[in-house]
Amino acid sequence: MASKIRRLWPPLAVLVIVLAGWQGAVVLLGINEYELPSPLVIGATAYEEAPRLFEHTKATLGITMLGFIIGSAAGFVLAALLHLIPGAKAGFYPLLVLTQNVPVMALGPLLVIWFGFGLMPKIILLTIVCFFPISVAMLTGLTKSDPKLLNYMSMIGASKSQLFWRLELPHAVPYLFSGLKIAASYSVISAIYAETIGGSEGLGVYMRLSMRGWQTANMFAAIAVVITLSLVLFGLIFVLERLFVRGTAGSKGE
Amino acid sequence: MELALEVAGVSKIFPGDGSSAARTVLDHLTFHIKDGEFVTLLGPSGSGKTTLFHIIGGLEKPSSGDVRLYGRSTLGKRGEIAYMPQQASLMPWLTVARNIELALDIAGVDRKAARILSREWLERVGLAEVRDAYPHVLSGGMQQRVSFLRALLSPQPLMCLDEPFGALDALTRMQMQTWLLSLWEENRRSVLFVTHSIEEALLLSDRIIVLSASPATIIREIEVPFPRPRGEMIWSDPLFNAMKREIYELLRPEEPGSGGRKEGQAHGICQEPSPVG
Ligand SMILES: Nc1ncnc2c1ncn2[C@@H]1O[C@H](COP(=O)(O)OP(=O)(O)OP(=O)(O)O)[C@@H](O)[C@H]1O
Ligand SMILES: [Mg+2]
């Protein structure tokens, strides 16, 4: 734990230096506030705006979590099915990769046309964005079990379902977590985007309104909230990983 | 006496694909293991010992021949033998105790009974303090002990041990041999054991089956006469050395030029118990 804290110091120090330089530059060069507000102004704005920011953050967090959970579950189930049904992977995997070439920018408006301006199109968008990294990571984990262990399990008579539950799935767990981390960072960004294409609440909406009113400081305050949100989600997954991944398997994946 | 294992005329030919010709790995092997007997297969590297284990374990089908366990043909049936692989093969995400319980669970042992059994035996073999440790913190010798325990506690009557000490250093290997010897002499399970080491074979077995290099055929079957319980003393027995010499002669590569054998085919045979890649 002590070494963790020690590793946190260098980036924090750099951050403080950057913020100080930023503050100094804005003051010395007399930069307009609507072009680039100083960190102190951003802080003050964030404080003033806290109640509104809080409401919007709640909305964003809601759809992020919902989309992330549904997307992860879908990715997990899809990977398990593709792995367990013979021939399914060969048929579906290439198509799965193809779906990732559809630009999210095009998908957003289409989903609004099909499902209206409610919660539905946002959740669907997030689900689509989240499921892919998870199913790809899971599939890799499921199919790349140690051949030595696979051989042993077969020799002692493990059935197909025992192989899945006792060998392949535990082996895939670290891969699953690396997929979850990627999906988590995508999901916050995608939630913001999804809010800008329709709807009346959320940080996406707040940012769009701030930009329209040239309230650059509000924009920066919202960005800080988004970053914090991503970090919290990431940290949550990290803690879960610590709880679930034991032995050396924890060092696998990124 | 009932036969634990009968291998009757087993051959295995791996069909060649475009780039390689078909290969005969096992050539009409016939032997048996009596109930409670410790039999060792001694053969050069690449002679097909692991392939034979895969056939006995039901992982592969022979090209011809039959495998019977206690009189019942078990071709292609898995889970009929207790097995200890060449490398420890412990699940890295399970503790030592859970690894043993997993093997017993798959063999159909009730979970509660498995827990009691693994706890009791880890204590008996002096591994109680690593019961809740993950395998990567164990030394190679300890991992092999756990791996052996897993096979020993499995309920199937025949144990198949595939070069269990091949990856260990000479000293650890010697300790493991005497350890296994004392455990087995209490237990007297039917065992099929594979090794490269002549000394290991002489120390442990009731009978040694010497295999030729590829394709594997049986060169000789040798009864090992030393009384049990055995100990390291037999290493100084003149008979031990005479038998060692005799087996070595059987396995010695032919002089260069005198036969069609490829270079290095009998490299797997070690005089001393030495670490093997
Ligand atoms: N699936 C396979 N297809 C083709 N050839 C194979 C296959 N499996 C094994 N072989 C060949 O069979 C031969 C015997 O292999 P095997 O692993 O049984 O030898 P071994 O006696 O166990 O060797 P070692 O003592 O080094 O472990 C090897 O030359 C190997 O190339
Ligand atoms: Mg082998």
Side-chain angles (χ1 to χ4, degrees):
Chain A
M1 206 58 214
S3 76
K4 281 268 157 49
I5 292 167
R6 220 171 300 139
R7 255 191 294 162
L8 265 173
W9 268 117
L12 274 181
V14 171
L15 189 65
V16 167
I17 292 170
V18 167
L19 287 177
W22 176 355
Q23 181 74 34
V26 170
V27 172
L28 288 179
L29 302 176
I31 297 174
N32 277 329
E33 197 185 303
Y34 72 86
E35 282 174 332
L36 182 67
S38 73
L40 286 180
V41 170
I42 295 171
T45 309
Y47 183 73
E48 267 167 42
E49 288 282 299
R52 276 184 71 205
L53 270 174
F54 183 71
E55 286 305 311
H56 288 297
T57 305
K58 246 179 26 192
T60 304
L61 189 63
I63 67 163
T64 303
M65 291 311 283
L66 203 57
F68 178 66
I69 290 168
I70 295 175
S72 304
F76 182 90
V77 171
L78 186 76
L81 287 179
L82 289 193
H83 177 67
L84 289 176
I85 301 171
K89 192 183 168 195
F92 283 96
Y93 192 73
L95 298 180
L96 198 67
V97 176
L98 267 189
T99 63
Q100 291 309 295
N101 294 319
V102 178
V104 178
M105 296 286 276
L107 209 56
L110 277 176
L111 288 172
V112 169
I113 293 173
W114 295 333
F115 299 102
F117 285 95
L119 203 60
M120 192 67 152
K122 296 172 194 164
I123 301 297
I124 292 178
L125 187 83
L126 273 163
T127 304
I128 291 173
V129 169
C130 287
F131 94 95
F132 183 72
I134 289 173
S135 49
V136 169
M138 269 285 286
L139 261 178
T140 310
L142 287 173
T143 43
K144 296 239 166 94
S145 303
D146 188 342
K148 191 177 76 189
L149 297 180
L150 195 62
N151 183 55
Y152 171 73
M153 290 286 275
S154 311
M155 279 295 270
I156 64 168
S159 64
K160 207 169 174 208
S161 93
Q162 281 170 330
L163 277 183
F164 179 74
W165 291 107
R166 314 300 294 266
L167 174 64
E168 289 163 342
L169 193 58
H171 179 261
V173 167
Y175 293 82
L176 172 66
F177 274 104
S178 52
L180 283 175
K181 284 180 201 160
I182 297 172
S185 38
Y186 284 3
S187 69
V188 178
I189 307 279
S190 307
I192 308 274
Y193 168 70
E195 284 163 351
T196 62
I197 53 173
S200 56
E201 51 174 5
L203 288 168
V205 173
Y206 180 87
M207 285 167 127
R208 202 180 49 184
L209 292 178
S210 305
M211 234 30 239
R212 273 205 200 136
W214 294 92
Q215 293 164 306
T216 317
N218 296 28
M219 186 73 170
F220 273 99
I223 290 174
V225 173
V226 170
I227 292 175
T228 314
L229 211 59
S230 297
L231 280 180
V232 167
L233 207 56
F234 207 80
L236 203 70
I237 293 166
F238 192 78
V239 170
L240 282 178
E241 187 179 19
R242 275 298 156 95
L243 288 177
F244 276 100
V245 180
R246 291 292 171 82
T248 51
S251 57
K252 287 204 191 95
E254 255 307 283
Chain B
M1 187 184 282
E2 201 178 5
L3 295 180
L5 170 73
E6 289 165 86
V7 171
V10 165
S11 296
K12 180 72 185 178
I13 302 161
F14 285 113
D17 48 29
S19 56
S20 62
R23 258 198 79 167
T24 307
V25 176
L26 303 174
D27 191 11
H28 290 91
L29 291 187
T30 299
F31 65 91
H32 65 268
I33 298 175
K34 292 192 280 263
D35 194 32
E37 195 181 22
F38 195 122
V39 174
T40 294
L41 284 176
L42 188 65
S45 189
S47 59
K49 303 178 297 292
T50 298
T51 307
L52 179 62
F53 268 33
H54 286 169
I55 290 171
I56 295 172
L59 228 54
E60 281 188 64
K61 292 221 165 163
S63 308
S64 66
D66 195 11
V67 173
R68 285 186 289 274
L69 291 172
Y70 292 90
R72 215 159 35 86
S73 173
T74 57
L75 279 189
K77 271 199 213 134
R78 298 176 181 189
E80 303 276 331
I81 55 168
Y83 175 60
M84 175 176 180
Q86 204 155 344
Q87 289 137 339
S89 307
L90 302 171
M91 311 288 148
W93 52 84
L94 294 179
T95 61
V96 164
R98 293 259 178 249
N99 261 293
I100 295 175
E101 286 161 27
L102 170 69
L104 299 190
D105 185 29
I106 288 172
V109 177
D110 165 66
R111 288 206 184 184
K112 207 166 149 209
R115 197 164 318 143
I116 294 168
L117 209 59
S118 79
R119 182 172 286 253
E120 179 195 323
W121 272 85
L122 281 170
E123 202 134 316
R124 255 175 97 165
V125 303
L127 288 172
E129 75 271 29
V130 296
R131 191 171 56 211
D132 298 319
Y134 289 91
H136 70 280
V137 305
L138 271 60
S139 71
M142 278 164 131
Q143 291 189 12
Q144 288 292 0
R145 258 174 243 231
V146 176
S147 175
F148 177 73
L149 216 49
R150 217 164 41 164
L152 185 73
L153 299 185
S154 295
Q156 298 89 340
L158 177 69
M159 279 209 287
C160 291
L161 315 181
D162 188 358
E163 269 180 81
F165 310 137
L168 299 178
D169 64 272
L171 195 65
T172 314
R173 186 171 190 159
M174 255 148 68
Q175 287 166 354
M176 290 294 294
Q177 287 165 0
T178 41
W179 180 77
L180 186 145
L181 189 64
S182 62
L183 271 181
W184 182 81
E185 283 177 347
E186 273 171 43
N187 226 269
R188 300 280 173 146
R189 288 269 287 280
S190 317
V191 172
L192 179 59
F193 186 88
V194 159
T195 185
H196 285 152
S197 160
I198 299 174
E199 287 170 328
E200 188 168 283
L202 283 170
L203 174 68
L204 298 172
S205 353
D206 294 320
R207 200 146 48 85
I208 300 175
I209 295 170
V210 184
L211 294 179
S212 69
S214 175
T217 52
I218 296 175
I219 304 181
R220 181 92 60 89
E221 282 195 37
I222 299 166
E223 292 280 344
V224 183
F226 307 111
R228 295 186 187 271
R230 294 179 191 163
E232 288 131 356
M233 311 81 82
I234 72 163
W235 280 325
S236 51
D237 190 320
L239 182 60
F240 181 86
N241 285 301
M243 291 187 78
K244 195 170 112 182
R245 185 89 221 139
E246 183 195 336
I247 298 173
Y248 180 67
E249 289 299 327
L250 281 176
L251 286 164
R252 203 155 69 141
E254 284 158 38
E255 297 303 316
S258 69
R261 279 196 188 180
K262 273 184 264 140
E263 192 188 345
Q265 251 177 344
H267 264 177
I269 300 299
C270 331
Q271 276 261 60
E272 301 295 324
S274 64
V276 179

